[in-house]
């Protein structure tokens, strides 16, 4: 356990130092991280898009391949943010003691968590574009709105990265992640409007789906590709911002509790 003096604010040198360390470290394993974060969502796209797509030509007014292609962007964002944040954070503080070393420098837990989440969110914003590029190769028409997709992925990825860090901070063992994945992430993943529209679900499920941050990411990406929906999309951006801020503060509390005597 490390003891650190809280600075009471986010300082750019501290954030930069943590980010530079992550970039340098990432250069040694970027191939495996990129593979695991992009291939599985792409397989979902191909399996559902061409599997169900052979049975269902259109869903909610879109070709099914295009519907799934835009939806799996959110899947890639989730896989490249929440999961790496959970497992990576736990390994760094429990086994590698990386955070103890970082906190020995003039860095506090708030800066540490913020920099880690920003780094994971940046990767998520980039990786999230891969399924969309695959969908373009299979007929999805490019549009100028798609330029906003990396930013949507970053915004959603920041919230999910902080969620993963918070779970790691509260977990007593790495086996606890199985409960979170099975009971929280999997249901949210399935009820996000990725593979079928929420309008086909019971009313209570539609209401629950609107509270799902992953669903807001799906809808924003879909509207970026096919046309924005004005104030509705601004409300979805606000929901993702609220989710990110809430999980960020919870993550800071969890890691402070874990790392500071």
């Amino acid at each position: 356990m490390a003891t650190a003096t809280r600075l009471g604010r986010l300082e750019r040198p501290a954030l930069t130092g943590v980010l530079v360390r992550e970039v340098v470290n990432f250069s040694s394993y970027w191939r495996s991280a990129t593979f695991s974060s992009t291939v599985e969502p792409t397989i979902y796209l191909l399996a559902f898009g061409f599997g169900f797509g052979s049975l269902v030509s259109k869903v909610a007014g879109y070709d099914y391949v295009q519907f799934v292609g835009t939806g799996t962007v959110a899947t890639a964002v989730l896989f490249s943010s929440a999961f790496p944040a959970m497992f990576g954070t736990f390994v760094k503080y429990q086994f590698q003691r990386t955070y103890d070393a970082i906190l020995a420098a003039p860095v506090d837990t708030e800066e540490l968590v913020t920099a880690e989440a920003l780094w994971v969110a940046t990767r998520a914003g980039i990786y999230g574009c891969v399924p969309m590029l695959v969908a373009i190769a299979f007929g999805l028409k490019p549009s100028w709105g798609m330029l906003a997709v990396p930013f949507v992925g970053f915004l959603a990825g920041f919230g999910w990265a902080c969620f993963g860090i918070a779970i790691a901070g509260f977990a007593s063992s790495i086996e606890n992640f199985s409960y979170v994945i099975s009971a929280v992430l999997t249901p949210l993943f399935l009820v996000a409007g990725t593979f079928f529209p929420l309008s086909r679900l019971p009313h209570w499920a539609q209401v629950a789906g609107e509270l799902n941050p992953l669903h807001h990411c799906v809808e924003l990406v879909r509207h970026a590709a096919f046309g924005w929906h004005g104030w509705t999309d601004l409300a979805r951006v606000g929901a993702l911002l609220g989710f990110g801020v809430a999980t960020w503060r919870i993550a800071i509390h969890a890691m402070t509790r874990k790392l500071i005597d």
Side-chain angles (χ1 to χ4, degrees):
M1 303 291 284
T3 302
T5 302
R6 289 190 57 81
L7 302 178
R9 62 185 184 278
L10 298 175
E11 294 192 344
R12 189 175 64 179
L15 295 174
T16 303
V18 177
L19 286 169
V20 169
R21 182 203 170 277
E22 290 298 329
V23 172
V24 172
N25 190 43
F26 182 68
S27 65
S28 65
Y29 66 90
W30 69 269
R31 292 179 180 84
S32 60
T34 301
F35 182 86
S36 62
S37 297
T38 59
V39 169
E40 189 168 355
T42 303
I43 291 174
Y44 277 118
L45 164 60
L46 297 176
F48 281 88
F50 291 100
F52 287 133
S54 63
L55 303 174
V56 181
S57 59
K58 287 187 177 293
V59 172
Y62 308 115
D63 290 341
Y64 190 65
V65 173
Q66 298 177 354
F67 183 86
V68 174
T70 50
T72 48
V73 170
T75 304
V77 169
L78 178 68
F79 286 175
S80 58
S81 56
F83 292 98
M86 277 196 299
F87 289 96
T89 298
F90 191 89
V91 168
K92 285 176 184 176
Y93 79 70
Q94 185 69 27
F95 302 114
Q96 297 177 344
R97 300 295 180 181
T98 302
Y99 291 159
D100 289 345
I102 292 176
L103 291 176
V107 177
D108 65 8
T109 52
E110 187 169 5
E111 292 160 336
L112 173 61
V113 168
T114 303
E116 291 276 12
L118 287 173
W119 169 241
V120 173
T122 301
R123 288 164 46 190
I126 296 172
Y127 290 157
C129 295
V130 173
M132 188 176 63
L133 294 175
V134 174
I136 289 175
F138 284 98
L140 176 64
K141 293 182 179 179
S143 67
W144 288 108
M146 291 180 180
L147 295 176
V149 170
F151 300 100
V152 174
F154 173 86
L155 182 59
F158 182 83
W160 286 114
C162 291
F163 173 86
I165 293 171
I167 294 299
F170 287 116
S172 57
S173 69
I174 204 166
E175 287 77 16
N176 295 150
F177 295 159
S178 298
Y179 299 107
V180 177
I181 294 172
S182 299
V184 179
L185 294 181
T186 299
L188 291 178
F189 161 63
L190 293 175
V191 190
T194 302
F195 305 112
F196 50 84
L198 295 186
S199 59
R200 302 296 181 89
L201 298 178
H203 179 69
W204 65 266
Q206 295 180 39
V207 174
E210 290 295 336
L211 300 176
N212 181 0
L214 199 59
H215 174 62
H216 296 303
C217 181
V218 169
E219 290 298 293
L220 285 170
V221 170
R222 199 162 280 150
H223 296 167
F226 300 117
W228 297 106
H229 287 204
W231 290 106
T232 300
D233 288 333
L234 286 177
R236 296 190 186 282
V237 170
L240 289 180
L241 282 170
F243 173 65
V245 171
T247 53
W248 175 55
R249 297 312 307 178
I250 294 172
I252 291 170
H253 170 75
M255 293 307 295
T256 300
R257 172 178 170 269
K258 183 70 69 172
L259 295 172
I260 304 301
D261 291 328

